[in-house]
Amino acid sequence: MRRRYTAEDKQRLLSEVRATGEGVAAVAKRLGVTPSSAYLWLKEAGVASGGPAPVFARVVKSTSSVAARSIVIEVGAAMVRVEPGFNVDLLRSVVAALGDPR
């Protein structure tokens, strides 16, 4: 028997995909939604891949010996220096926030 999803189910999935940057299938599985339904909802909401258009970050190689162990990521006008041992989730959130057109 087909399960009927509520508008709240759809909104929760859309919000979580946008907020976490996690894959659509993973969010759908966690929320008990079929992946096909999740992708359909994203398409209906005008979100092709589960989030806004991708934002590209430019990685700049440094010649400095101090910066040899780090990388610099440019997102728009912002520059983020990433040192060894960085928090992946925090970096993902920062880059997503910098790329958010709001």
Side-chain angles (χ1 to χ4, degrees), residues 11 24 31 49 65 71 80:
Q11 188 56 49
V24 176
L31 297 179
S49 63
S65 62
I71 60 172
V80 179

Side-chain angles (χ1 to χ4, degrees), residues 55-64 67 70-83 91 94-99:
V55 174
F56 296 95
R58 185 167 70 105
V59 178
V60 180
K61 184 176 180 178
S62 174
T63 56
S64 164
S70 65
I71 60 172
V72 175
I73 301 173
E74 293 182 6
V75 181
M79 292 177 70
V80 179
R81 181 176 304 280
V82 181
E83 301 288 339
L91 178 61
V94 169
V95 171
L98 291 171

